[in-house]
Amino acid sequence: MDTMSDAQQQSGGDSIPNFLMLDQIPANYLQQVETDLLEPVVFNQGTATTDGFCRFTLQNKGFLHSHSKIFLSVTPQAALANGFFSPNVGIGQLIKKAVLKIGNKTLNEIDGWNHLYAIKTSQISNENNTEREKFTTGRWLSHEFEYADESSVLAEAYGLETGQEVDVDDVRLPKWYLSQGGHPTEVPTFMIDLSDLFPFLKVNQLPLYMIKEPINIELHFEPDDGKRIQKTASDGGSSATINQTDLKFCADYVFYGASDEMTRYAAANQDMSFSFVDYRLVENTTSHTALGSTVIRNLGMANRVVPRILTALQSDQGNNTILGRMNSMAPMTNASGVQEDTFRYNVRYNDRFEYTSDVDSLARMFAQLTQAEGVPFVTRAEYSGQSIDAITSTELQGHSQAGNLEGQLFYLGTRLTNGRVGQRGIELFLTGSFPSSGRVIDLMRTYCEYVRVARLTNGYVDVYNA
């Protein structure tokens, strides 16, 4: 972001901090918060074949707090006795696409947002998921040891932590978490942080009072064909509608200073620019046959600054599982947990490969993901399927934990180091031996993180690629 000069920061003899940058505002600076509970100005429920949709319109006042929330819940059909959300996305399972618009310009637009959210969730610690995210966003991807009978030190396996005791080889989620068709008015309401929807707001605040154009948030929901919620193994239904009554945007507008500091800040900053990242989804159908003989995908992104790319290999498992479609399948391993055949991964752009030799080890692939995104809080068995009998045989909501988790959180990540992408774009090379039956891969998703610049001039915004 462009830094303000000393002359811009000094107005009327006192210093005014850069209100746009969250880390530059003193902790003791006077601020007032005004909260509005907004309902969508447009809402469409969607059907089994069409997406749902809603739009919120913000008021042009104050600064929009980056941690404003969107509240969401569902109404399950009667036959869906005990519905629940995938542990690695929670209520985010509903959102297919998120768009932030200023006037007719798009500031952030992320397609396949829920699948990117699943990758980001892997960076959250088990403790945070258990103690906070389960109650706020509905995410519960945390683990606990399953201790042997009459032992408090010997654990034979581990499984997902629900906070409930095992009941006859089956562990259940708490009743308050479940969306029960028999009690449609008692379903839980969860929230999504605005900065999770739009990366722009991770480091910047929107100066709404300085913008003369309408600001809209648009959410596209998954169709109601089993993609919105998971079901317990014994349930007969799979449908869940968006609860329009609970669909709200809790907008926090922040006002700084005791007098006219915000007016002087606006007068001193009639023309300013700030950089941020957005994600471009490149989605391709694929198969185990194609992956077995090397898939080469051109991801585009020519003439853009791309710091990293993230890839997931999805198996469309439906909603009668724990993860549903929020998975990413690892290459096959044999009965001893050893990787079968060859796995190779590389990225090429600007006429050179990112890795001098192909990444052919899943351990090295995990290290590359850690360098690109941070340490993922998933186990070896969940990431690569190479740890035999580590995941418990105890079922969860009637589903096998081992069968639903082993090798199903396998994400590929690369931090690009060769500067701006040239005219040929980015090429991804991937070879591996993947299942030919059962949970077969049918879709490859790659998210390209790229840098954009927004310029605010006299109340109007322009957006372009860096």
Side-chain angles (χ1 to χ4, degrees):
M1 168 164 176
D2 290 353
T3 13
M4 295 186 298
S5 65
D6 291 340
Q8 286 177 312
Q9 295 186 50
Q10 299 288 339
S11 182
D14 60 340
S15 177
I16 300 177
N18 187 350
F19 294 134
L20 284 182
M21 302 297 290
L22 297 173
D23 59 353
Q24 295 184 20
I25 302 173
N28 60 350
Y29 202 84
L30 180 64
Q31 58 181 283
Q32 299 177 0
V33 179
E34 180 181 318
T35 300
D36 287 350
L37 199 60
L38 306 178
E39 296 189 354
V41 295
V42 177
F43 177 79
N44 182 0
Q45 183 65 248
T47 66
T49 56
T50 60
D51 297 344
F53 177 80
C54 76
R55 178 187 294 129
F56 296 96
T57 299
L58 308 184
Q59 298 186 52
N60 297 60
K61 61 181 182 181
F63 289 85
L64 177 63
H65 197 288
S66 296
H67 295 297
S68 299
K69 312 292 185 186
I70 292 179
F71 296 116
L72 288 160
S73 72
V74 297
T75 301
Q77 70 175 101
L80 186 61
N82 293 292
F84 61 94
F85 296 109
S86 179
N88 54 344
V89 287
I91 195 68
Q93 183 170 345
L94 300 175
I95 300 177
K96 183 177 182 179
K97 182 179 180 180
V99 185
L100 176 61
K101 289 184 176 180
I102 299 179
N104 60 355
K105 278 86 67 179
T106 299
L107 200 61
N108 264 151
E109 180 177 7
I110 303 177
D111 205 353
W113 179 87
N114 45 8
H115 295 274
L116 177 63
Y117 194 48
I119 300 175
K120 298 295 184 180
T121 297
S122 69
Q123 312 299 314
I124 300 176
S125 69
N126 284 244
E127 295 81 4
N128 197 20
N129 274 329
T130 296
E131 298 171 7
R132 184 177 187 275
E133 297 300 323
K134 182 191 290 184
F135 305 98
T136 55
T137 64
R139 293 180 289 185
W140 48 284
L141 185 63
S142 58
H143 307 85
E144 64 179 352
F145 290 116
E146 187 174 283
Y147 291 98
D149 292 342
E150 301 179 358
S151 174
S152 59
V153 294
L154 178 61
E156 299 175 343
Y158 60 82
L160 293 179
E161 182 178 3
T162 66
Q164 304 290 97
E165 294 292 334
V166 177
D167 180 17
V168 194
D169 294 327
D170 189 16
V171 63
R172 298 275 165 161
L173 286 159
K175 284 189 176 181
W176 65 262
Y177 184 91
L178 299 172
S179 296
Q180 299 178 311
H183 307 279
T185 61
E186 299 176 10
V187 296
T189 299
F190 296 108
M191 66 184 73
I192 293 179
D193 196 296
L194 205 59
S195 64
D196 286 334
L197 283 170
F198 306 113
F200 170 85
L201 297 172
K202 289 287 186 183
V203 292
N204 300 302
Q205 293 190 106
L206 268 180
L208 301 181
Y209 78 108
M210 296 172 62
I211 300 174
K212 298 177 182 178
E213 300 173 282
I215 301 105
N216 294 308
I217 294 172
E218 296 179 354
L219 300 179
H220 298 251
F221 300 115
E222 291 282 6
D224 187 16
D225 61 349
K227 295 179 181 177
R228 293 179 175 178
I229 197 167
Q230 304 307 110
K231 65 179 183 177
T232 299
S234 58
D235 287 356
S238 60
S239 174
T241 57
I242 308 296
N243 189 326
Q244 189 175 357
T245 303
D246 291 343
L247 181 59
K248 300 284 191 297
F249 177 41
C250 183
D252 290 331
Y253 302 98
V254 184
F255 301 85
Y256 294 101
S259 56
D260 63 344
E261 287 89 342
M262 287 177 56
T263 303
R264 287 186 284 133
Y265 176 84
N269 294 276
Q270 293 293 317
D271 187 348
M272 56 183 176
S273 300
F274 31 90
S275 60
F276 60 98
V277 298
D278 204 355
Y279 289 87
R280 173 66 55 85
L281 170 64
V282 182
E283 189 176 81
N284 305 100
T285 57
T286 188
S287 66
H288 71 279
T289 304
L291 290 166
S293 58
T294 304
V295 166
I296 303 175
R297 288 286 183 267
N298 191 304
L299 307 178
M301 310 306 292
N303 299 318
R304 299 186 187 183
V305 178
V306 182
R308 75 197 74 190
I309 62 173
L310 302 167
T311 299
L313 302 165
Q314 179 194 301
S315 172
D316 188 355
Q317 299 177 22
N319 71 337
N320 195 19
T321 57
I322 294 176
L323 295 176
R325 296 169 176 83
M326 303 299 143
N327 61 64
S328 183
M329 305 302 294
M332 289 193 301
T333 56
N334 61 27
S336 301
V338 178
Q339 175 185 321
E340 289 190 357
D341 298 325
T342 303
F343 171 82
R344 294 193 304 273
Y345 169 84
N346 215 328
V347 176
R348 185 171 188 251
Y349 70 109
N350 294 350
D351 295 323
R352 76 159 211 186
F353 284 99
E354 182 65 29
Y355 308 108
T356 53
S357 60
D358 292 345
V359 178
D360 58 4
S361 162
L362 300 190
R364 187 182 171 201
M365 195 67 256
F366 185 88
Q368 295 304 317
L369 174 64
T370 300
Q371 291 178 12
E373 276 289 288
V375 178
F377 289 87
V378 298
T379 66
R380 184 187 183 194
E382 290 170 335
Y383 184 78
S384 65
Q386 290 182 331
S387 193
I388 299 300
D389 297 329
I391 299 179
T392 178
S393 59
T394 301
E395 294 182 341
L396 191 153
Q397 295 295 132
H399 302 294
S400 164
Q401 292 195 60
N404 280 271
L405 297 174
E406 283 183 355
Q408 298 198 33
L409 295 175
F410 177 71
Y411 303 118
L412 309 173
T414 298
R415 182 179 292 276
L416 304 184
T417 59
N418 198 23
R420 184 182 296 274
V421 178
Q423 292 290 338
R424 289 187 58 180
I426 302 170
E427 294 175 313
L428 185 148
F429 294 74
L430 182 61
T431 306
S433 177
F434 292 87
S436 59
S437 61
R439 293 178 168 87
V440 296
I441 294 172
D442 51 27
L443 204 60
M444 182 166 73
R445 286 186 171 89
T446 300
Y447 294 90
C448 302
E449 179 183 291
Y450 66 107
V451 181
R452 309 194 77 196
V453 177
R455 183 178 182 184
L456 178 60
T457 308
N458 297 320
Y460 296 94
V461 174
D462 287 316
V463 184
Y464 51 90
N465 297 325

